């Protein structure tokens, strides 16, 4: 009988490098190569700006600051997950 070698798809080294790579890939110079994620990153920065100044574009509704913070958080999580998945695939 031959011994079967079990290989892990995600090792600790790949996971560590992927988490680090997810944050490194937030650089706009890298993101411009992927237009869809660059638009998401641009949207994140706009909503982050609107979180601090909700009336910047003339909106005067209530609770805009809370809404903008929630949208910015969702966009940031989307960016990190996409970059993490790409880094794992490269690893």
């Amino acid at each position: 009988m031959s011994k079967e070698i079990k290989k892990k798809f995600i090792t600790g080294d790949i996971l560590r490098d992927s988490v680090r790579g997810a944050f490194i890939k937030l650089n706009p110079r890298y993101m411009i190569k992927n237009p869809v994620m660059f638009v998401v990153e641009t949207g994140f920065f706009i909503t982050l700006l609107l979180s601090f100044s909700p009336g910047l574009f003339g909106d005067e509704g209530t609770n805009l600051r809370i809404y903008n913070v929630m949208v910015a958080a969702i966009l940031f999580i989307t960016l990190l997950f996409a970059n993490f998945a790409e880094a794992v695939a490269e690893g």
Side-chain angles (χ1 to χ4, degrees):
M1 286 190 227
S2 64
K3 292 183 178 180
E4 291 184 28
I5 299 174
K6 294 183 180 181
K7 293 184 179 181
K8 289 184 177 181
F9 288 110
I10 299 178
T11 62
D13 292 335
I14 292 174
L15 186 64
R16 207 172 316 111
D17 291 340
S18 297
V19 170
R20 194 178 88 236
F23 284 97
I24 291 172
K25 291 179 180 184
L26 289 175
N27 187 346
R29 286 180 279 168
Y30 180 82
M31 280 292 193
I32 196 107
K33 296 175 186 173
N34 186 349
V36 173
M37 293 312 294
F38 182 71
V39 169
V40 173
E41 186 173 40
T42 304
F44 163 69
F45 285 122
I46 290 171
T47 55
L48 187 64
L49 178 67
L50 289 172
S51 297
F52 296 110
S53 177
L56 189 64
F57 296 125
D59 293 335
E60 296 181 9
T62 58
N63 296 329
L64 285 179
R65 188 176 308 257
I66 295 169
Y67 176 76
N68 289 331
V69 168
M70 290 184 339
V71 170
I74 291 169
L75 290 175
F76 186 69
I77 290 169
T78 302
L79 285 168
L80 282 180
F81 181 73
N83 288 339
F84 177 75
E86 184 178 347
V88 167
E90 289 174 358

